Amino acid sequence: MGYFGRLKQAVSGFFPAHTREDKNTKTAENTASPRGLPNIHILATGGTIAGRQTGAGPHYQAGEQGIEALIGAVPTMRGLANISSEQVTNIGSQDMDEKTWLKLVHRVNELLTRADVDGIIITHGTDTLEETAYFLDLTVPSGKPVVLVGAMRPANAVGADGPANLFDAVVVASSPDSAARGVLVAMNGNVFEARDVTKVSTTAVQAFAAPNFGPLGQVHDGRVFYWRSSDHRADHTSARQHPEFDVSGLDMLPAVGIVYGHANAPALPVTALVEAQYRGIVSAGVGNGNLYHEVLAALADAASRGIAVVRSSRVAAGPTMRGIELDDARYGFVAAGTLNPQKARVLLQLALTRTQEPGEIQKMFDYC
Ligand code: SIN
């Protein structure tokens, strides 16, 4: 029986009901873990958490330090878990791409089927961390904890936040209460769910927020406290549906672009994506996903040609509602709900691996 299984037995009755099936934690018959601690594997991808300041000034380069150096800076984490690690890549997350997403998810899924892996941490740049987190949230079926972590200050900066964030990530990944919550993000003492978390500051260490549903919990003094379940359907009447996308046979994803809305917006970005044969377009519209009339006409034309069009909003919080200000059914559009444009793009890419039909895609946006 695995570490979490043994702990669950010891505290049976304490465990909350989770909304996501805890497949691998149920089935994995673990090997005995040394010292009775969970086995946590870290996959490193770079970012400011691995960044280095070169001179006296603030200038730094992301993705400079290897994972061993980051682990070495936080020796106390070894009191929480048996730590192993590997370097997947070492890049600034502005350069994150689908090839690396697919490499990551294949490795994560391979590791999580192993009985001697109880949880995974992924170190990542903060710029696109939310997209990788949501991509994994939709493609990792295991209920074992998967936690993304980054930092806003480079590893050798005064007041570097990476070591504390990495320690917190180990706390979160090692906690049985983190199982079956989907992919999590540990940043600056908060724990967020992948779906809602977004970067809200370019520079502050409190760089992330979950604008629609708030953080799932917090980490204090080496313990994680969850305030709520991961059920974020607007009406809270039923558990989160979580159709997993099987990307095991894929080496690329359908092309989906984002067009940004503003006053007097031109149709040009839409027509460029249509001409480039993109299979999907996400609109970061104004307000409740509204569109300048020329952009509306171009998107309606794109939808009539079979290109999947999803309406999201450039506004930080609140849902883009289907059929309220704009007749989505008439235009063949899909409404993104509370997914921001960059998350809507991730879901649309995965949805398009199954169907191009707007009604079917809308169902996925309603439930993912
Ligand atoms: C990056 O996303 O790689 C750079 C910024 C950061 O990690 O905070």
Side-chain angles (χ1 to χ4, degrees):
M1 180 179 292
Y3 172 80
F4 291 152
R6 290 196 303 281
L7 208 56
K8 275 183 186 180
Q9 247 184 6
V11 296
S12 74
F14 163 76
F15 253 65
H18 292 301
T19 56
R20 182 173 181 154
E21 201 185 343
D22 192 0
K23 286 181 188 157
N24 289 333
T25 43
K26 274 185 194 152
T27 55
E29 293 304 311
N30 209 344
T31 54
S33 52
R35 303 186 294 149
L37 297 176
N39 298 318
I40 304 300
H41 192 71
I42 304 179
L43 298 171
T45 73
T48 295
I49 192 169
R52 199 197 318 263
Q53 273 178 348
T54 39
H59 179 76
Y60 76 97
Q61 186 71 39
E64 284 282 301
Q65 302 221 20
I67 185 58
E68 286 305 328
L70 305 191
I71 294 170
V74 197
T76 46
M77 73 166 74
R78 296 201 184 272
L80 298 172
N82 303 307
I83 304 288
S84 56
S85 66
E86 68 192 73
Q87 194 81 42
V88 175
T89 183
N90 210 351
I91 55 172
S93 76
Q94 66 273 16
D95 284 327
M96 187 52 66
D97 57 21
E98 291 158 17
K99 209 167 138 236
T100 313
W101 278 355
L102 290 165
K103 183 176 172 187
L104 257 182
V105 69
H106 297 330
R107 185 67 180 135
V108 167
N109 283 335
E110 180 183 47
L111 285 164
L112 290 181
T113 57
R114 277 175 34 186
D116 62 348
V117 176
D118 295 308
I120 289 185
I121 292 170
I122 298 167
T123 60
H124 199 289
T126 60
D127 289 352
T128 62
L129 182 148
E130 65 195 81
E131 288 160 71
T132 301
Y134 189 49
F135 174 74
L136 294 173
D137 193 48
L138 293 170
T139 53
V140 173
S142 172
K144 293 179 184 178
V146 176
V147 184
L148 273 81
V149 64
M152 292 300 291
R153 295 174 181 158
N156 63 339
V158 174
D161 52 332
N165 288 346
L166 187 54
F167 181 83
D168 285 355
V170 177
V171 171
V172 174
S174 302
S175 168
D177 205 15
S178 300
R181 288 182 178 275
V183 171
L184 301 170
V185 172
M187 284 293 295
N188 202 33
N190 289 304
V191 187
F192 300 100
E193 62 185 332
R195 188 185 191 282
D196 199 25
V197 69
T198 191
K199 189 170 182 179
V200 292
S201 171
T202 55
T203 50
V205 290
Q206 183 55 36
F208 284 83
N212 291 297
F213 304 102
L216 282 180
Q218 288 181 338
V219 185
H220 294 293
D221 303 325
R223 290 179 63 194
V224 59
F225 299 86
Y226 286 102
W227 310 137
R228 64 176 179 85
S229 78
S230 305
D231 169 14
H232 48 64
R233 282 196 64 189
D235 57 6
H236 291 280
T237 52
S238 62
R240 178 183 181 187
Q241 308 291 305
H242 207 283
E244 287 130 16
F245 292 89
D246 179 2
V247 291
S248 54
L250 299 183
D251 56 11
M252 62 184 290
L253 295 171
V256 173
I258 299 177
V259 295
Y260 201 85
H262 54 87
N264 204 33
L268 183 68
V270 176
T271 51
L273 291 173
V274 172
E275 275 167 27
Q277 299 188 323
Y278 273 51
R279 287 185 53 201
I281 301 174
V282 173
S283 159
V286 296
N288 195 347
N290 284 322
L291 303 160
Y292 188 69
H293 60 272
E294 286 180 19
V295 178
L296 172 60
L299 287 173
D301 179 61
S304 74
R305 295 166 189 249
I307 295 168
V309 174
V310 174
R311 284 192 312 111
S312 181
S313 175
R314 68 179 194 176
V315 179
T320 300
M321 303 286 289
R322 182 170 176 80
I324 300 294
E325 290 190 64
L326 212 144
D327 189 348
D328 291 290
R330 173 178 163 203
Y331 296 111
F333 295 165
V334 171
T338 52
L339 283 178
N340 68 22
Q342 55 271 34
K343 302 268 183 79
R345 176 178 175 272
V346 172
L347 177 54
L348 183 54
Q349 286 186 289
L350 290 168
L352 287 169
T353 65
R354 287 197 188 158
T355 178
Q356 193 88 21
E357 208 282 304
E360 291 303 308
I361 296 172
Q362 182 67 67
K363 281 186 206 156
M364 296 181 204
F365 274 80
D366 290 344
Y367 290 104
C368 286

